[in-house]
Each structure stands twice: as C-alpha cells, then as structure tokens.
C-alpha cells in the first residue's frame, strides 16, 4: 500500500519562520495564531489525514461510487465514517466565519488542512472542498433570509455544497448554457436542465446537498450577461430549518473518469426543481467567480498534493530498490547492487520534485496569507495591494502549480520503472488523479489567458509592476549574502525574462491578438518559475539566518539551502527559452488551414 506522512516540519517552517504569521496578531482572526497553535493544527490534521484518509485512498479508487436506482449515490466503503470524523473534528470549519459557527482562523491555516486532506485522499477531499466557495458566494450575494437558512449547516459541514456550471454543449463558454429558471408565484424558480462534471453531485455523506446552479431566466440575454445563480437544495428546507420533501433533481449518471474514482462526478438532472435566486437577475457570473476563484486556489493545492504523495513514495522506493552500480564504483560492495539513489538521473527527478513541492508549498501558503490580508489588513491600501497580488497570481498558482504537479507525478512514477505502471504500487493512481487538476475549474489554457489577457492590464498593470518590484527587492537583498548571491542572480535574470516577455506582449498584442494566445502558456510558466524563485529566496534567507544563529536542526536548514541552489541552477534557466518561444509569435502556430491537420 502506498505511504503518506504529512510534511509537518516543512509547513511549520513556512508559516512560522518564513511568513511569520505571529507578526499579524493585531489583525482579526490572527490574535490566537501562535506558533504553538500552528504546531497543534499541523500535527493533529497531519495525523488525521495519514491515519484516517490515506488508508481509504487506494480502496476508494478501486471501488468507486455507485449510483442507485433512485438517482442517489453511495460512496466507497469507509468514506461516510471518515467524513463523520472529519466533521466532528472541525477541520472544515477552521477558516469559516464565526457568526455561522466557524472558527474564524486565517485562510493560511485552512489551506494547510486542504493540502493534507487532498494529499492523503484527493477524491475524498473533493466532497467538502467546494463548500467553502459556495459559502463565500452566499455570504457575498445572497439575501439575509437565504444566508440564515443555509449557511450555518454548510459551515458546520452538516450539509455540503456544489457548483453546477458546465453543460454538455459548453464548458468554459458559459454563455451557451441552456438550463432554464422559470419564476413561480411564490418567488421561487423552477429549474430545468442538465449539468455535467458536477463534483460531489450526489453522495451519502450528508443529509442534504446545497447546489449552486447557473441558469437563465425567460427573456434573458443569450450570453454571459443573461446568467443568474440559484440555490437548489437536494432536499427542501422547511421554515423551521428541518428537512422536507426531496427536490426534483437527481444524479442521472456517474461519469466514467480517468481518475478520482472515489468522488461522485455526476450528470445532474433538474426537472422543475425548486430554486432561489442568489443576488440579482442576470448577475450570476459575478457570484460564480467568487466560487471559481476559491476553487482555483484549492485546485492549485491539489496539484502540489499529488506531487507530494508521489514524491514520498518514490523516495521510499529509491531507498529500497537495488539496481545497477554507481557510476563512480560500487557504493555498497557487499551487496549485489546499489540502491537507486546512487544514479544521477534518479537524483535529478527526485531533486526536481523536492524543489517544486517545497517551493510550491511556500507559494500557496503565501497566497493564503494574501487572501487573509485582502480582508483583514489594517489599511485600505494594504487590502487593495493584497487583493491585486492574489488576483494576479491565482491563475499562476492554479495553472503552473497543476502543470508541474502532474509532471512531478509522472517523473515519480518513472522512478519505479515497470512497477510504476502496475496498479498495486499506487503510482498510477497519483498520475491519474493529478491529471484532472489541469482541466477542471478552468483548463490551464484558460488560466494562461486570464493571466495575460486580463490580469496584466488591470489598473494599468499595477499588480504585475508590484510583483516585479517585490522580486527585485528580494534579489537585491539576497545578493549581499554569500549563501544566496548565485540564486539571487539567477532569479533576477528570470525576472528580467518575465519583464521582457511582458513588454513584447505590449508591443505586439494590438497588431495581432493571436500573439497573446500563442504565448500565454509560456508566460504563465515563466511567472511560475519566478514566483517559486521568490519563495526560495525567502526560504533561503530564513535558513541562512537560522544556521548563523546556531539552530539545533542544522541538517534541515542546510538541506533548504542546497535545494534552493538546485532550484536556481535547474529551474530558472527555462525562463529564457520560454521567453524566446513567446517572441516567436503566432504566425507558424496559426498558419496551417484546418484540413492540413488531417492524417488520412
């Protein structure tokens, strides 16, 4: 059976030492977030994930979900009991609003729970995973009556929530949706239509599921300007909060997927189901983006999560598997062969994984802190700066994080050789599960276009200029330190490539918009490389300070500095090649007629 152990030491390092969250104790929600509290949350959630969720991951993948004759769904063996423990432990309420029963802790801690749960059992984590986004949308847009009726039980995870966006004829292009919402005399709406790819669309973990459904009212514009959002519960809720009749909706089928078999990804049929409008008519897109942005950050964490568990298992295998001899001569002459760790190519793959997972963890946790500062920073200027920065970086976190997360899983599978292709070892599942993160909540090509087509130009490019300045500041400070000078120069050069690519877009996008589309993916990856470089500069500085102060955990900090050096040498050079791809433009990309792609 595959192994998993929560990377508690690394998480504590980032939160307590790099981000220094105890320095924000003057802000709402941070007052009780001491290093001791962080340690407790990290250790206890890590145990829960490793001991309760991880043992169900492979069996859940093998068993899958079952659709019953009445359109309800049964989850794999053990999931219902595990979810009851999850809810009773309060892991889903950590960063939820206090006024509805949440603990009100910072999102940066809530993100840690998301990582540990997703790493231990990706499919399980998807059941509660979308509820926070649904809660955020209801908080921001729904009437007080709807908030009072649904939020407390969603926050407590007594009920869970979903997002119902996609339909058979449209994915990202939501203007094409056909689901209809017909107003009724009592102020409700009759919702009719079919939604597909609905994660956790039905299950047996909770008594009720609160679906947030995009639909169009009669006469609405036939575009994204005609979309409205509706709360459509699986079971109708009486005025006193008790459950009433089953609503007119059901799971029509469970999608047959490449991975995440333990999650019920459903075709949902709405047959005149009763729904309540959230916010204003035809303004559903704005509410949807509240959910989507929260979900995209969650998916970024999933990209890291699968890379982390694949890495842990590859390390263990490389420590035990004996194949061949070291190029410099037998490392263990008394054995018939050396362990895989002696081979530089195996080391390359493992070091790539280590540099990515630790850098990505720091990146998403910084993103969590930015989310907190967006709402809780002391001044309006600080809140605006944090909001602009996390808005800029969200597509990078999701797009780059899941692209590289999948690549890491594939390389960790490669460490196993033929055994990696055999299901019993578990590496195939990590690859299959990681693949979806590049697709859902906006495919990564959409993330790249969001970054280049929308985020760069917002407010006259203020956010990206602030990002450039932040990187330049860190590089300048690190250059004065012998341990970090080389890395600082490498990250500074990569940042220069990012600036040059940005300028090229400014000079060439107006003449031919396809130049943006052809280069957006590469640009997103350059920004990902620079972002992780920024994280390694910060982590390297903390590690160097700790060593200078005589830290007892010397090996941990020395390993950080070595991994930072590896990142600078092996990741940052790619920025230049990607910039040259961008500057090649779109002519060759778009030159061939459609029929030239035919193979017969």
């Amino acid at each position: 059976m595959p192994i998993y152990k929560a990377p508690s030491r690394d998480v504590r390092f980032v939160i307590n030492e790099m981000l220094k969250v105890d320095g924000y104790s003057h802000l709402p929600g941070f007052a009780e977030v001491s290093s001791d509290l962080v340690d407790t949350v990290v250790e206890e959630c890590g145990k829960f994930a490793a001991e309760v969720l991880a043992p169900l991951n492979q069996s859940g993948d093998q068993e899958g979900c079952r659709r019953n004759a009445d359109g309800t769904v049964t989850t794999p063996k053990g999931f219902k009991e595990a979810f009851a423990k999850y809810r009773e432990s309060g892991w889903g309420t950590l960063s939820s609003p206090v006024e509805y029963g949440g603990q009100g802790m910072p999102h940066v801690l809530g993100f840690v729970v998301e990582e540990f749960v997703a790493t231990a059992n990706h499919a399980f984590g998807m059941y509660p995973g979308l509820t926070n986004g649904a809660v955020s949308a209801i908080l921001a847009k729904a009437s007080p009556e709807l908030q009072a009726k649904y939020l407390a039980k969603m926050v407590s995870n007594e009920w869970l929530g979903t997002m119902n966006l996609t339909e058979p004829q449209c994915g990202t292009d939501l203007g094409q949706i056909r689901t209809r919402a017909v107003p009724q005399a009592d102020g409700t709406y009759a919702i009719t239509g079919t939604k597909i790819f609905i994660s956790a669309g039905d299950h047996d973990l909770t008594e009720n599921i609160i679906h947030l459904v995009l639909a169009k009212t009669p006469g609405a514009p036939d575009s994204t300007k005609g979309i409205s959002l509706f709360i459509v519960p699986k079971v109708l809720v009486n005025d006193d909060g008790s459950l009433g009749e089953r609503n007119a909706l059901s799971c029509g089928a469970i999608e047959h997927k490449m991975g995440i078999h333990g999650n019920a990804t459903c075709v949902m049929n709405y047959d005149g189901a009763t729904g309540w409008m959230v916010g204003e008519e035809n303004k559903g897109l704005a509410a949807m983006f509240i959910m989507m942005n929260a979900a995209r950050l969650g998916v970024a964490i999933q990209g890291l999560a699968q890379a982390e568990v694949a890495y842990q298992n590859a390390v263990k295998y490389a420590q035990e598997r004996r194949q061949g001899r070291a190029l410099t001569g037998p490392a263990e002459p008394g054995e018939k062969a050396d362990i895989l760790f002696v081979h530089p190519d195996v080391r390359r793959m493992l070091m790539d994984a280590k540099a990515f997972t630790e850098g990505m963890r720091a990146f998403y946790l910084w993103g969590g802190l930015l989310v907190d500062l967006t709402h809780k920073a002391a001044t309006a200027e600080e809140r605006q700066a944090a909001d602009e920065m996390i808005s800029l970086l969200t597509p990078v976190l999701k797009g780059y994080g899941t692209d590289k997360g999948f690549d890491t899983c594939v390389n960790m599978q490669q460490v196993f050789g033929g055994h990696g292709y055999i299901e019993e070892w578990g590496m195939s599942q990590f690859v299959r599960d990681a693949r979806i993160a590049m697709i859902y909540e906006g495919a990564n090509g959409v993330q790249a276009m969001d970054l280049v087509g929308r985020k760069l130009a917002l407010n006259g490019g203020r956010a990206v200029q602030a990002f450039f300045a932040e990187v330049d500041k860190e590089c300048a400070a690190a250059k004065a330190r012998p341990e970090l000078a080389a890395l600082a120069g490498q990250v500074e050069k990569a940042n220069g490539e990012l600036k040059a690519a940005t300028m090229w877009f400014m000079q060439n996008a107006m003449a031919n918009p396809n130049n943006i589309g052809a280069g957006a993916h590469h640009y997103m990856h350059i920004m990902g490389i620079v972002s992780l470089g920024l994280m390694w500069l910060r982590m390297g500085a903390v590690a160097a300070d700790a060593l200078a102060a005589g830290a007892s955990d010397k090996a941990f900090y020395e390993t950080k500095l070595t991994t930072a050096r590896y990142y600078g040498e092996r990741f940052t050079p790619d920025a230049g090649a990607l910039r040259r791809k961008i500057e090649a433009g779109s002519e060759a990309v778009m030159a061939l007629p459609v029929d030239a792609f035919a193979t017969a």
Side-chain angles (χ1 to χ4, degrees), residues 357-380:
T357 54
E358 293 180 17
M360 186 65 193
R361 178 171 297 111
F363 189 23
Y364 92 71
L365 287 171
W366 179 45
L369 180 59
L370 289 172
V371 171
D372 288 315
L373 295 178
T374 294
H375 302 289
K376 299 176 180 180
T379 68

Side-chain angles (χ1 to χ4, degrees), residues 81-202:
E81 293 77 11
F83 182 76
K85 294 178 181 177
Y86 173 90
R87 184 170 65 82
E88 290 163 8
S89 300
W91 295 121
T93 71
L94 203 66
S95 55
S96 298
V98 174
E99 57 267 35
Y100 291 101
Q103 299 180 55
M105 294 290 178
H107 285 86
V108 70
L109 272 183
F111 279 13
V112 172
V113 173
E114 289 192 42
E115 181 197 334
F116 289 178
V117 170
T119 314
N121 195 320
H122 185 157
F124 177 92
M126 292 171 65
Y127 287 103
L130 291 175
T131 301
N132 286 339
V135 166
S136 296
I138 293 171
L139 271 172
K141 299 294 183 179
S143 67
E145 292 77 16
L146 290 177
Q147 292 176 358
K149 197 167 194 175
Y150 295 103
L151 283 179
K153 290 195 175 182
M154 293 178 73
V155 165
S156 70
N157 286 171
E158 187 174 341
W159 300 341
L160 293 179
T162 73
M163 293 194 301
N164 281 235
L165 282 61
T166 307
E167 299 184 7
Q169 76 286 349
C170 69
T172 304
D173 188 1
L174 293 172
Q176 295 189 54
I177 67 170
R178 296 173 183 163
T179 299
R180 293 295 166 187
V182 178
Q184 305 296 295
D186 62 358
T188 63
Y189 290 78
I191 312 296
T192 302
T194 297
K195 299 288 185 177
I196 63 171
F197 306 158
I198 307 307
S199 300
D202 198 86

Side-chain angles (χ1 to χ4, degrees), residues 275-346:
W276 288 260
M277 185 178 288
V278 176
E280 298 179 49
E281 187 173 3
N282 300 334
K283 298 292 180 65
L285 205 60
M288 183 274 293
F289 270 114
I290 295 172
M291 293 188 289
M292 186 66 77
N293 286 332
R296 286 172 176 173
L297 292 171
V299 174
I301 295 170
Q302 291 173 356
L304 163 66
Q306 294 308 295
E308 172 67 30
V309 70
Y311 167 69
Q312 289 190 18
N313 282 272
V315 167
K316 183 175 185 292
Y317 186 80
Q319 290 171 333
E320 298 172 350
R321 179 72 167 175
R322 293 186 178 275
Q323 292 284 283
R325 289 296 192 186
L327 297 177
T328 53
E332 297 180 74
E335 299 286 348
K336 289 185 177 181
D338 293 328
I339 62 172
L340 289 178
F341 258 98
V342 305
H343 302 301
D345 193 58
V346 172

Side-chain angles (χ1 to χ4, degrees), residues 48-49 52-66 73-80 82-83 86 113-131 160-162 198-205 254-255 257-266 298-299 301-303 305-306 309 429-437 440:
F48 175 81
V52 178
L53 300 183
L56 299 174
N57 192 41
Q58 194 170 39
S59 61
D61 177 67
Q62 293 166 350
E63 180 183 347
C65 296
R66 183 179 75 251
V73 171
T74 300
T75 54
K77 182 179 179 181
F79 273 45
K80 188 172 184 178
F83 182 76
Y86 173 90
V113 173
E114 289 192 42
E115 181 197 334
F116 289 178
V117 170
T119 314
N121 195 320
H122 185 157
F124 177 92
M126 292 171 65
Y127 287 103
L130 291 175
T131 301
L160 293 179
T162 73
I198 307 307
S199 300
D202 198 86
H203 53 76
D204 56 358
L205 306 185
I254 298 174
E255 305 282 9
K257 310 183 298 291
M258 174 179 174
I260 53 171
H261 296 149
N263 190 269
T265 307
C266 297
V299 174
I301 295 170
Q302 291 173 356
Q306 294 308 295
V309 70
Q429 182 187 351
F430 301 144
V431 172
R432 290 185 284 104
D433 286 356
R435 187 64 185 87
I436 186 56
Y440 62 11

